[in-house]
Structures are given as C-alpha cells and as structure tokens.
C-alpha cells in the first residue's frame, strides 16, 4: 500500500495524478435555500404581528372606528366635531308662529249685510288680535267673494300671520298680494255667518304649535266692587329656580 493512500482505504483507492479523492459528502443547496426562505418568512410574520399589537395598544385605530360609527372623521377628535353642525340644524328649524296680539287685522265686508265687519272685528279684538281698518270691501272684492271669506297678506307671512288668522274661521281662501307690511286683510264673503268658536280656534292654533291669546275683558262688564285694603301685608311669592 502506498504511503499516499489514506488510512482505512484498504488499498481500494489508488491516488494517481495530482488530484486527491473528495471524502466529504456533497452539500444539498436546495435544503439551504428552503431553510433561508423559511427563516425570512418567519421573521417577517413576527414583525407584522408585533406592529399590529403596538397599533392596537397605542389607539391608532380610533380614526377608522369613529368614521365607521359616524362619530367624527379625521378632522375631529373623539367625535366632538359633530357639535359644530348643531347651529346649522337649528337654523333650519321652522319659525315660531306669531301670537294673536302680534297680528293686525283689517276687516272688510263684501256682503250686502250691514255692520258685519264691525261685529267680526270686535270679536277678533276680544280674542287678542289687533284691529286696523274696518269697513266695506274695496271695489275689487265688493260683492265678489262667494265663499266664507278671503285672507290677503304678503307672501312672507303666508306661514305666519295668515295661518294664525285662518284658525278663527274655516273655509277661507288665502291669497298673497304685493304689500310689504305684516298686516292681514280679512274680507268676509257671501257664505260667512260667524267666527269659529274660541275653543275650536284655540285648539286648532295649539295643534299647529301656536299660542292662543287670553280673551280680553269686555268693556261693558261692570267693575268689581272695591275691597278695603287688607291690614296684613301679602307674603312674597317664593322665588322660582
């Protein structure tokens, strides 16, 4: 056996030339590549999970949650930005109806019956309305109103004074003219008999969100007898919160 023969070879291999036989098992490169890819994927997954945990505990998802529930977007904080829209909503609220003592009514008679305008005007005054002109209807409407009556006023008060006065008698026709004031014309027609009862008129006004006026005391009522002054001073009314 040659001295160049590695021990344990038993003379099976003979070294010839200038190259030695390779004793190591050849490397499996495929396994190395797969192992490297697996390690990289595991590190990436661990990093992504850590980032999600940090985002949850730091409250980074509040913006998305608030936007989903309508509690404020990116420009608001904790949903408090919705309060800024309240003034706009209040601006869209309907204008409150005027009280009868804020409405001036001109009463005109378009029928052949005499004194009808004054009787109606006196009753409206007792119900709290202010009375303007009282007399016969203008030539444009005299003897030409076939229904119960006609209400005339500016377009701006169609949902205000005209609506309130319409509760005092049913079946009236409402028209707008070119006037700019807030007074209302009530022209009594051929079918007019009398105003609706005060109870029915107040109920209709309340259902519309209005405030009925208290009935004014009659001027013909006898004054109440005078009473002697009480020697005991009246106790002051308790303060209201």
């Amino acid at each position: 056996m040659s001295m160049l023969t590695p021990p344990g070879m038993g003379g099976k291999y003979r070294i010839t030339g200038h190259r030695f036989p390779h004793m190591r098992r050849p490397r499996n490169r495929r396994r190395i590549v797969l192992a490297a890819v697996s390690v990289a994927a595991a590190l990436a997954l661990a990093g992504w999970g850590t980032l999600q945990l940090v985002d949850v505990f730091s409250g980074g998802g509040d913006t998305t949650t608030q936007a989903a529930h309508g509690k404020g977007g990116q420009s608001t904080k904790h949903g408090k930005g919705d309060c800024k829209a309240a003034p706009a909503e209040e601006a869209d609220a309907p204008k409150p109806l005027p009280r009868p003592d804020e409405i001036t009514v001109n009463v005109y008679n378009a029928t052949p019956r005499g004194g009808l305008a004054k009787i109606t005007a006196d009753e409206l005054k007792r119900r709290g309305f202010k009375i303007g002109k009282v007399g016969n209807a203008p030539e444009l409407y005299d003897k030409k109103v076939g229904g119960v009556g006609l209400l005339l006023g500016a377009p701006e008060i169609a949902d205000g004074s005209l609506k309130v006065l319409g509760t005092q008698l049913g079946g009236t026709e409402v028209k707008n003219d070119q006037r700019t004031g807030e007074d209302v014309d009530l022209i009594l027609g051929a079918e007019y008999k009398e105003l609706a009862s005060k109870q029915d008129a107040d109920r209709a006004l309340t259902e519309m969100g209005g405030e009925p006026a208290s009935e004014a005391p009659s001027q013909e009522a006898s004054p109440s007898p005078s009473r002697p002054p009480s020697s005991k001073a009246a106790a002051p009314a308790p303060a209201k919160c």
Side-chain angles (χ1 to χ4, degrees), residues 53-94:
L53 289 176
V54 172
D55 189 28
V56 169
F57 286 104
S58 62
D62 289 347
T63 301
T64 305
T65 304
Q66 292 174 359
H69 292 279
K71 297 182 179 180
Q74 296 180 353
S75 60
T76 62
K77 184 177 181 181
H78 301 295
K80 295 181 180 180
D82 292 343
C83 297
K84 297 181 180 179
E89 296 176 358
E90 293 177 358
D92 297 336

Side-chain angles (χ1 to χ4, degrees), residues 91-201:
D92 297 336
K95 186 178 179 181
L97 293 173
R99 298 192 309 271
D101 57 1
E102 298 174 340
I103 302 174
T104 300
V105 184
N106 304 316
V107 185
Y108 298 108
N109 183 11
T111 72
R113 291 173 288 172
L116 195 60
K118 186 178 186 308
I119 296 174
T120 305
D122 292 342
E123 179 62 25
L124 289 175
K125 185 176 181 179
R126 283 192 291 268
R127 298 185 183 189
F129 290 88
K130 295 179 180 180
I131 302 301
K133 299 178 181 180
V134 179
N136 294 327
E139 184 179 358
L140 180 62
Y141 299 103
D142 191 22
K143 312 296 189 300
K144 298 176 183 179
V145 179
V148 175
L150 176 64
L151 300 181
L152 290 176
E156 293 79 11
I157 62 173
D159 292 332
S161 300
L162 289 174
K163 204 171 184 180
V164 173
L165 184 58
T167 61
Q168 305 302 311
L169 65 165
T172 55
E173 182 182 1
V174 180
K175 287 186 179 181
N176 301 126
D177 51 19
Q178 301 299 324
R179 74 182 68 188
T180 57
E182 296 185 357
D183 60 317
V184 181
D185 292 350
L186 170 58
I187 304 177
L188 305 177
E191 297 182 3
Y192 174 77
K193 295 181 180 180
E194 61 182 2
L195 295 174
S197 65
K198 188 176 186 302
Q199 294 179 351
D200 294 340

